[in-house]
Amino acid sequence: MAIADIDRFKSINDTYGHEQGDEVLKQISKVFAARLRGQDILARWGGEEFMLIFTDTNEANAVKALEQIRILLYQAPLHINDIEMHVTSSFGVCEVNAQNTLSHAIKQADHALYHAKETGRDKVCAFSALPPVHD
């Protein structure tokens, strides 16, 4: 499963308004959905965040799918008020399995997402690839 956060989305809302920001989110969701399989799930997860659930998919294959989605979004022009814009998204991914519940995986994917944002945005970070956290 993965969490996606649209990079610098606040500036879109600040520049074009919340109604146009919502339109951007609708267009982004279409780009995301274009790469998903029939059994996958895409849902809005708060403000400008989305959750993607890749059924019967390990973390490595989810990362590959997310990289394809990331590139599609980067290349897809969005249109707002006759203005063409390009947006990017950061992704955090974590595998759900018998040892890792959905609730725990969501926290881990969120951690990976923040790592993606903090290290440059427009990237996919897998929780398993992050350095261990030391207390």
Side-chain angles (χ1 to χ4, degrees), residues 8-64:
R8 298 181 173 89
F9 186 74
K10 184 180 181 316
S11 67
I12 293 170
N13 275 342
D14 290 349
T15 302
Y16 303 103
H18 291 276
E19 185 175 318
Q20 296 306 319
D22 284 345
E23 180 58 32
V24 168
L25 291 175
K26 290 176 189 174
Q27 291 182 35
I28 289 169
S29 70
K30 289 178 183 177
V31 173
F32 285 179
R35 169 51 187 83
L36 298 179
R37 304 165 300 177
Q39 71 266 30
D40 298 331
I41 299 168
L42 172 66
R44 191 162 171 194
W45 182 256
E48 69 274 5
E49 291 184 338
F50 293 87
M51 181 175 285
L52 301 97
I53 299 176
F54 299 95
T55 58
D56 300 320
T57 305
N58 64 25
E59 187 177 87
N61 287 330
V63 167
K64 289 177 187 176

Side-chain angles (χ1 to χ4, degrees), residues 6 33 36 48 52 58 61-62 70 74-75 90 94 98 108 112 131:
I6 308 310
L36 298 179
E48 69 274 5
L52 301 97
N58 64 25
N61 287 330
R70 185 188 66 76
Y74 179 79
Q75 294 173 342
S90 300
C94 184
Q108 292 173 321

Side-chain angles (χ1 to χ4, degrees), residues 7 90 110-123 125:
D7 297 328
S90 300
D110 195 47
H111 178 70
L113 171 62
Y114 277 99
H115 183 77
K117 299 290 252 184
E118 291 171 354
T119 58
R121 295 182 174 88
D122 189 28
K123 61 174 69 173
C125 285

